[in-house]
């Protein structure tokens, strides 16, 4: 990990030094199927649903980290199997960078993702239209 940071002129911070940049949240992706959205929302709010978004045929439910287990239990009670459920780091704010810096950061992210010792990679780089074009190339 340190070698990847060094290669890209980055530095490894102390444990917890970036805790203020990210919130630790539970994210559940639930197939919409024939669920009654309003009734479903009322059921899961009591289990700790903080945010509920509908994307195409999937309902994305966000919880506080401490409500992750409560939500999983509630979904089990409702006999609903999420497509995906995990704890994620969600940025509190995003940082806009120039295209050159974005390319470097994206290369570094790729290196981290290719490393077998790395489980997840999180960043708070703002994905501007220019950066999105780079990703499409």
């Amino acid at each position: 990990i340190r070698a990847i940071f060094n290669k890209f002129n980055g530095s490894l911070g102390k444990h917890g030094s970036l805790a203020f940049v990210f919130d630790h949240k539970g994210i559940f992706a639930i197939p919409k199927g024939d669920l009654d959205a309003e009734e479903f929302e009322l059921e899961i709010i009591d289990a700790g649903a903080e945010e509920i978004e509908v994307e195409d045929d999937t309902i994305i439910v966000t919880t506080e980290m401490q409500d992750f287990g409560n939500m999983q239990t509630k979904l089990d009670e409702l006999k609903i199997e999420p497509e995906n459920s995990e704890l994620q780091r969600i940025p509190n704010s995003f940082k806009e960078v120039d295209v050159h810096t974005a390319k470097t950061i994206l290369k570094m992210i790729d290196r981290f993702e290719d490393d077998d010792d790395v489980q997840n990679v999180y960043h708070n780089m703002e994905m501007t239209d220019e950066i999105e074009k780079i990703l499409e190339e």
Side-chain angles (χ1 to χ4, degrees), residues 7 9 18 93:
K7 180 169 178 64
N9 296 319
L18 294 176
S93 63

Side-chain angles (χ1 to χ4, degrees), residues 39-66:
E39 187 176 316
F40 176 69
E41 281 186 33
L42 292 174
E43 288 283 343
I44 63 170
I45 285 173
D46 289 337
E50 185 176 82
E51 189 175 327
I52 303 164
E53 296 177 48
V54 178
E55 296 179 1
D56 300 322
D57 293 333
T58 304
I59 300 171
I60 306 295
V61 178
T62 304
T63 69
E64 289 291 334
M65 182 180 75
Q66 59 269 23

